[in-house]
Amino acid sequence: MNSLYYALYQYAMEHRADQFLVENKQDELENLRMVEQSVHALSAMNPITADHAQRIYNGLNTISSLHQEAAFLAGLSIGVELHSI
């Protein structure tokens, strides 16, 4: 993501995203709690399981971030196209 898009993305995440997450806040908190409890339980089993649990957690976080950035860029491109009509 180039620096302009990154700056816009950072602004949107810090100042605009909350209004769209309000409806799903309870689901977000419940799922975060579930994931954290599962990672903790798996991490307590043995080092190999702990490593796999952490890799899954990190991988899903990365995938989620990539999807967020893609959705932001898609929305931004739609806005630019609508503005030029």
Side-chain angles (χ1 to χ4, degrees):
M1 191 180 312
N2 73 35
S3 60
L4 174 60
Y5 291 152
Y6 182 74
L8 291 170
Y9 177 76
Q10 285 299 112
Y11 176 82
M13 295 309 292
E14 290 174 14
H15 302 284
R16 298 291 177 98
D18 287 345
Q19 65 188 6
F20 298 106
L21 294 173
V22 165
E23 293 179 21
N24 300 315
K25 195 64 173 175
Q26 187 62 36
D27 285 342
E28 178 187 9
L29 292 174
E30 288 173 7
N31 281 283
L32 182 59
R33 191 175 306 117
M34 177 186 66
V35 168
E36 288 173 345
Q37 289 172 346
S38 295
V39 168
H40 179 72
L42 290 169
S43 295
M45 291 182 177
N46 63 59
I48 293 172
T49 305
D51 182 57
H52 286 292
Q54 195 60 51
R55 288 173 185 252
I56 291 169
Y57 181 78
N58 292 342
L60 289 175
N61 277 337
T62 299
I63 290 167
S64 177
S65 293
L66 293 171
H67 280 258
Q68 272 185 307
E69 289 177 15
F72 169 77
L73 292 172
L76 185 61
S77 69
I78 291 169
V80 169
E81 285 181 32
L82 288 173
H83 178 69
S84 65
I85 294 177

